[in-house]
Amino acid sequence: MNDAATSASTSDGAAPPRTPGRFITFEGGEGAGKSSRVAELAERLRRRGYEVVVTREPGGSVGAEAVRHVLLGGAAEAFGPLAEALLFAAARADHVDQTIRPALARGAWVICDRFYDSTRVYQGATGDVSADRVALLEEIAVDDVRPDLTVLLDVPVEEGLRRAAARRGDAVADRFEIEDATVHERRRRAFLALARAEPRRFVVVDAATDPATVADAVWYGVCTRLGLAEKD
Ligand code: Z5A
């Protein structure tokens, strides 16, 4: 295990700087562009010669992908938000143990599409699971593996839902996509509140502009926060 997997977070949530492995998470609402920006950032880092592991939640390991299927298909919804939070935590524990911690331990950069801030927002702020319980599950699931940097892609709800619907086409919306626009709006505000509470860990990027502009803003945020030169 390297420093990346063993250091405690600072009081505002940002893990202290360390080399060589880095852990970056992306957060935001539906259609914010997380998957697209994750792929582009990974490519840019690989061109610099870094080993990059791209992963996602729920999922990212064999066990967690099985739980993803249950969660997004809606089979767990009937058991209530706490049961869903437990399943997200179980998936996360496996993902951290099987994928994230080993990658950080060998010095790779890990980029994860959603992580525990999604639980804080979806199951906590808008799911009625208490902050204490969310924090307890988080502690159990991640132990000491916490992001060095979290990129919050902020996009107006209408635009995000429009993009998600356009991409989905005729496919069926998942359990979270079908929720009311007011719930999505509360989630947007909850993510922004998390970013305000931990300004050293979060970088907030306006994701409503064209993809290239957003990708450059993400790159700038990563370089300035994690000590990389912006230009090759
Ligand atoms: N969830 C939870 O409740 N608790 C938890 O702890 C965790 C998750 C970890 C996972 O869904 C669901 O699980 C999620 C929260 C919940 N809720 N939902 N739904 P998912 O993994 O299937 O999907 P997602 O994370 O919500 O992402 P997404 O909606 O699929 O979108 P995205 O990754 O942010 O965006 P994208 O796929 O890159 O882009 C969407 C489309 O927009 C695509 O056609 C792009 O080409 C286009 N796009 C991207 N950027 C732009 C710009 N800048 N302009 C125009 N068009 C763009």
Side-chain angles (χ1 to χ4, degrees):
M1 191 182 300
N2 74 349
D3 287 343
T6 55
S7 301
S9 61
T10 57
S11 58
D12 78 348
R18 60 178 88 83
T19 57
R22 290 284 193 276
F23 183 24
I24 302 172
T25 58
F26 276 68
E27 298 282 1
E30 271 61 45
K34 296 177 298 299
S35 313
S36 313
R37 304 294 85 80
V38 162
E40 293 155 0
L41 174 62
E43 195 42 45
R44 268 176 137 149
L45 288 168
R46 285 181 185 125
R47 284 204 298 270
R48 291 275 177 105
Y50 294 106
E51 181 196 350
V52 181
V53 173
V54 169
T55 187
R56 68 169 181 185
E57 289 211 344
S61 63
V62 175
E65 289 291 333
V67 179
R68 175 186 176 91
H69 184 69
V70 172
L71 282 164
L72 298 197
E77 189 179 1
F79 301 110
L82 181 59
E84 284 188 313
L86 285 161
L87 285 170
F88 276 111
R92 181 162 302 130
D94 191 62
H95 183 208
V96 166
D97 278 353
Q98 299 300 316
T99 305
I100 300 175
R101 196 195 302 275
L104 292 172
R106 63 175 185 266
W109 287 56
V110 176
I111 309 178
C112 189
D113 188 343
R114 295 194 184 277
F115 197 55
Y116 56 53
D117 297 297
S118 284
T119 305
R120 293 180 184 185
V121 168
Y122 283 74
Q123 283 65 53
T126 64
D128 294 334
V129 179
S130 73
D132 284 353
R133 283 181 161 181
V134 167
L136 186 60
L137 290 176
E138 188 174 298
E139 183 70 33
I140 294 167
V142 309
D143 192 10
D144 49 5
V145 177
R146 297 197 175 257
D148 295 292
L149 181 70
T150 297
V151 179
L152 173 57
L153 297 180
D154 180 52
V155 72
V157 167
E158 253 181 36
E159 171 63 9
L161 293 178
R162 188 194 62 72
R163 288 180 194 170
R167 187 207 42 206
R168 188 166 61 242
D170 293 334
V172 181
D174 74 32
R175 177 241 174 288
F176 295 95
E177 286 171 337
I178 56 173
E179 286 176 316
D180 198 68
T182 56
V183 178
H184 291 289
E185 189 57 52
R186 285 172 57 212
R187 287 182 184 143
R188 183 185 183 199
R189 279 191 252 117
F191 273 124
L192 288 168
L194 289 179
R196 279 195 300 276
E198 295 185 46
R200 287 186 57 203
R201 174 165 69 90
F202 275 89
V203 59
V204 181
V205 170
D206 174 7
T209 57
D210 64 281
T213 303
V214 183
D216 284 346
V218 168
W219 182 241
Y220 177 78
V222 169
C223 290
T224 51
R225 294 297 187 86
L226 297 183
L228 292 181
E230 212 183 325
K231 302 252 186 270
D232 287 318

